[in-house]
Amino acid sequence: MEPVPVRAKVRERKTGYQFTIVFNNGTEKYFTKQCTEQTANEILLMIKNRIALNTFNIKDFHLTTERSISLQLYANTYLTYREKLIPSGKISIETWKKDYYSFKLFSGKVGKGILITAISPTVAIDFVNNLIDNNYTPSSINGYVKHLRAGFNWGVKNGKLKSNPFESDEIPRIKQENKKRVFTKNEISDYIKHTKTLPTRWKLDVFLIALNTGLRRSEIFKLTKNDLIITPKQGGGNIYNLRVQRKGNKIQVVPVRGKTTLLIKERIEILNNKYETTKILRASKQSQNPLAKERLKGGFLFFEITTPAAITREIREILDHLGIKARFHDLRKTYGTDLIEHGATLETASKLLGHADLRTTQTFYTEITSSKIIQEIQDIPEY
């Protein structure tokens, strides 16, 4: 029977802080770390907690000769490196923010002073299980793990770490339930009727563009007056397309239909009317916001919206007020479902939605709604 650790203590030595683990058979094991007094106390507290929970493993801490840095210093170095990638377009500011919040959450759970060499797969597993116990959503947990895994991979490539604690096969993989929420006609009607009475028109316009094109919030946020492409059609009339900046700053041209084209044209006309733009800035309480003014100068269609997150937040408030249990992203799901149910091929739907992989389209949009199935089988003869 293997000895069980019963207590731990720490004392300062010339080579660093020496940790002593005492086992129930009277034996002791030691390891030394070069760190600050605060970090040593944090590690000691973590060891005591694991002894109490019977999850302590000496192998997680046996790094006597390794020099290391704290998690806080490592995170700051990594985030500074990532921030420098934003101007070149290699990553977006939204991605950097996700990196930042992932490390902030992780540091808050395990301690800023913990040495990165002490962050073992067991620490990563405990972190994920803590998020599960605190009812974080599967998508949130998977997102944090994804960004932390990438962050520690950077450390491995740069020689700061020997291995990535978030690459362990034992880290819980949280399966996300594929909830395909589609707006009903009544919900769409209620939303349109309500937002027509509001002083801020963008809450209706953005909703309609997302519903009729399937564009993501970030893609709508980036639309400018120069993104409407008008091509003369043989025999008269015009063909209207929209230049869209997809994920990864990829540019794609997608067709737009009558009502959406008119909406965008109206927005372009507003940009050329100082009286209208001033009125919109006042109604949106953005008249003194330098970012809104900068977006107006840049010709952004929705200049009064200063962050993509504002789209989600403001529209969610209206949906909650109307008792509609849906998200802004469900407008995209509604558009994709309408495409499939009205005969569009998966390839066409995939292209219009800007999916990089056809399998994404197959995953989300090949399940026809139950009512549609019931409706279609009525015409099949029974024998």
Side-chain angles (χ1 to χ4, degrees):
M1 184 175 177
E2 292 188 5
V4 177
V6 291
R7 65 179 184 274
K9 55 187 178 180
V10 63
R11 63 184 298 182
E12 187 176 7
R13 298 284 191 182
K14 289 182 179 180
T15 55
Y17 283 88
Q18 178 182 289
F19 294 84
T20 304
I21 313 300
V22 182
F23 292 82
N24 61 349
N25 61 357
T27 60
E28 297 181 349
K29 287 189 178 182
Y30 312 90
F31 62 92
T32 304
K33 286 191 176 297
Q34 295 176 335
C35 59
T36 64
E37 182 180 2
Q38 180 184 348
T39 300
N41 289 330
E42 289 176 353
I43 293 174
L44 180 63
L45 179 61
M46 181 172 60
I47 291 171
K48 288 181 176 180
N49 287 339
R50 291 192 185 180
I51 289 175
L53 295 170
N54 199 28
T55 59
F56 176 79
N57 187 342
I58 189 69
K59 293 180 181 179
D60 292 341
F61 302 89
H62 211 304
L63 300 163
T64 54
T65 60
E66 260 186 59
R67 299 183 65 84
S68 187
I69 60 174
S70 69
L71 174 60
Q72 183 176 22
L73 179 58
Y74 177 84
N76 289 342
T77 305
Y78 174 68
L79 291 170
T80 300
Y81 157 75
R82 294 283 280 176
E83 191 173 16
K84 292 178 180 178
L85 301 178
I86 297 172
S88 64
K90 290 183 179 179
I91 67 168
S92 66
I93 184 67
E94 289 82 10
T95 299
W96 183 87
K97 286 180 180 178
K98 290 175 183 176
D99 290 334
Y100 170 80
Y101 286 117
S102 297
F103 271 97
K104 182 179 180 181
L105 179 65
F106 185 57
S107 298
K109 297 290 184 183
V110 303
K112 295 178 181 179
I114 186 174
L115 300 178
I116 57 169
T117 47
I119 301 173
S120 64
T122 304
V123 175
I125 292 167
D126 289 347
F127 168 71
V128 175
N129 284 330
N130 181 273
L131 297 185
I132 295 171
D133 293 342
N134 283 281
N135 298 317
Y136 281 75
T137 63
S139 60
S140 296
I141 296 173
N142 291 335
Y144 291 131
V145 170
K146 173 186 172 182
H147 285 271
L148 289 168
R149 184 184 296 120
F152 284 107
N153 269 338
W154 178 80
V156 173
K157 290 177 182 178
N158 287 277
K160 299 180 184 296
L161 287 167
K162 287 186 176 180
S163 61
N164 187 339
F166 281 89
E167 291 288 2
S168 171
D169 292 334
E170 295 181 16
I171 291 179
R173 296 296 194 266
I174 314 301
K175 187 176 180 181
Q176 289 181 237
E177 192 177 341
N178 181 16
K179 293 182 179 180
K180 189 179 65 170
R181 171 69 160 88
V182 176
F183 278 81
T184 66
K185 289 183 178 180
N186 285 338
E187 289 171 341
I188 293 169
S189 177
D190 289 345
Y191 184 93
I192 293 173
K193 183 178 178 181
H194 176 76
T195 48
K196 280 183 176 180
T197 65
L198 300 177
T200 47
R201 178 181 159 178
W202 74 259
K203 296 173 185 179
L204 172 60
D205 291 349
V206 167
F207 181 91
L208 292 174
I209 289 177
L211 183 64
N212 293 319
T213 65
L215 295 187
R216 303 175 178 91
R217 68 173 189 180
S218 60
E219 294 164 352
I220 296 174
F221 179 75
K222 294 174 184 176
L223 289 177
T224 72
K225 62 182 180 181
N226 297 322
D227 289 329
L228 183 64
I229 304 170
I230 305 173
T231 307
K233 187 167 55 175
Q234 288 184 349
N238 296 309
I239 298 173
Y240 295 93
N241 289 288
L242 203 56
R243 186 189 294 107
V244 179
Q245 189 174 332
R246 297 291 195 186
K247 284 184 175 180
N249 295 322
K250 295 178 182 178
I251 302 298
Q252 183 185 6
V253 176
V254 296
V256 286
R257 294 170 292 170
K259 290 183 179 180
T260 305
T261 302
L262 288 174
L263 191 157
I264 293 171
K265 280 184 173 181
E266 288 176 11
R267 269 276 156 178
I268 293 173
E269 288 176 6
I270 288 172
L271 285 168
N272 298 324
N273 187 321
K274 189 175 181 180
Y275 171 77
E276 288 294 330
T277 56
T278 302
K279 189 168 71 171
I280 286 174
L281 286 173
R282 285 176 179 171
S284 303
K285 298 180 180 179
Q286 298 290 348
S287 56
Q288 301 302 318
N289 189 327
L291 184 55
K293 292 180 179 179
E294 192 66 29
R295 281 177 57 79
L296 175 57
K297 288 181 182 178
F300 287 92
L301 294 186
F302 298 99
F303 55 88
E304 67 269 43
I305 308 172
T306 54
T307 65
I311 296 175
T312 306
R313 183 178 63 252
E314 297 288 339
I315 290 181
R316 186 197 300 123
E317 286 181 4
I318 297 173
L319 294 174
D320 290 344
H321 173 76
L322 297 173
I324 301 173
K325 295 182 179 180
R327 308 166 301 159
F328 178 80
H329 195 72
D330 292 327
L331 292 166
R332 178 172 167 81
K333 300 286 181 68
T334 303
Y335 177 70
T337 301
D338 284 344
L339 285 173
I340 298 298
E341 291 189 351
H342 285 81
T345 63
L346 283 173
E347 289 78 9
T348 297
S350 181
K351 185 174 181 180
L352 290 171
L353 291 163
H355 287 156
D357 192 329
L358 183 62
R359 286 174 295 183
T360 304
T361 317
Q362 291 173 325
T363 301
F364 287 101
Y365 299 103
T366 53
E367 295 180 6
I368 303 175
T369 58
S370 299
S371 59
K372 182 73 173 177
I373 294 173
I374 294 170
Q375 180 183 345
E376 290 188 352
I377 66 171
Q378 299 305 317
D379 298 328
I380 301 174
E382 288 185 286
Y383 300 97

